[in-house]
Amino acid sequence: VDAKQLERELAAGTCDHCLHQLEPAVGDCVFIEAGTVHAIGAGLLIAEIQRASDTTYRLFDWNRFDRDGQPRQLHVRESLDVTDFDRGPVHPTVPQPTDRPYVERLVSCDKFVLDRWRVDAPQACAGDARFHILAMVEGAVDISSGDSSFELQRGHTILIPACSQGVEVRPRSGAVLLDMYLP
């Protein structure tokens, strides 16, 4: 759609007619680039990797209200100004193999890399002069470096500094985690 058509649908309260919808499956990765209109459905647990920003433009709020019973502020003009109308429907990424059999690449762009680890044995982590953000998706692991050890459980996240050496990820059983780092 173009900006004028989206504006008409917004005014009518039917902007969902302009949006592609998908029903995600557990483990799907959907890479949503800046400028892509998107909404997250109810009942989803997501890991959102993004550049630090205090800017969120709300194009439509599905007729929801804030805790004071007021409609939340919309940013229609700002949203339309930054929307990439040439971008087509977004679909889940196809994981790509890496040189490590327990790691698959979900996203690689100029801003970040996102890998998914499926581990059932101890693995080395970091040590490449880049910080790593690990987010536990399934199971639990112990992260150790030197004399320190930290348990990472489902839903928890840890930042491993770029200066870290000798970091080991030791799963307590089969585990799935996300590894985010700079390219």
Side-chain angles (χ1 to χ4, degrees):
V1 300
D2 61 21
K4 296 240 183 271
Q5 182 180 356
L6 182 54
E7 278 185 282
R8 283 192 303 273
E9 296 294 341
L10 283 166
T14 55
C15 71
D16 56 319
H17 295 165
C18 298
L19 302 177
H20 167 76
Q21 295 181 20
L22 66 97
E23 185 71 32
V26 172
D28 277 353
C29 173
V30 181
F31 179 41
I32 301 172
E33 296 183 61
T36 305
V37 174
H38 61 282
I40 300 162
L44 296 177
L45 176 63
I46 65 165
E48 184 174 9
I49 296 90
Q50 65 182 24
R51 195 168 57 174
S53 171
D54 289 333
T55 305
T56 297
Y57 293 140
R58 193 171 293 115
L59 184 63
F60 185 69
D61 201 28
W62 310 101
N63 302 315
R64 295 183 301 183
F65 297 94
D66 66 17
R67 56 187 107 166
D68 297 325
Q70 300 299 313
R72 295 196 303 179
Q73 181 181 1
L74 298 180
H75 312 93
V76 174
R77 179 55 34 214
E78 296 91 336
S79 297
L80 293 171
D81 288 346
V82 298
T83 297
D84 182 349
F85 287 96
D86 292 327
R87 189 158 298 129
V90 176
H91 299 282
T93 64
V94 176
Q96 299 299 309
T98 68
D99 59 347
R100 297 173 291 172
Y102 58 92
V103 177
E104 54 191 358
R105 177 82 21 95
L106 299 176
V107 176
S108 181
C109 66
D110 63 330
K111 305 284 189 250
F112 65 91
V113 176
L114 174 62
D115 291 339
R116 178 170 41 212
W117 293 29
R118 296 178 189 276
V119 291
D120 55 11
Q123 303 296 336
C125 180
D128 57 1
R130 295 182 282 199
F131 70 83
H132 287 254
I133 300 172
L134 303 180
M136 217 49 228
V137 177
E138 291 178 24
V141 298
D142 290 315
I143 310 286
S144 61
S145 179
D147 294 338
S148 300
S149 183
F150 179 81
E151 180 184 7
L152 194 63
Q153 297 179 0
R154 182 175 188 257
H156 292 176
T157 302
I158 188 171
L159 169 68
I160 299 176
C163 62
S164 298
Q165 297 292 320
V167 177
E168 183 179 64
V169 174
R170 183 177 299 275
R172 295 194 169 192
S173 61
V176 179
L177 60 88
L178 300 177
D179 180 13
M180 297 146 278
Y181 53 94
L182 297 175

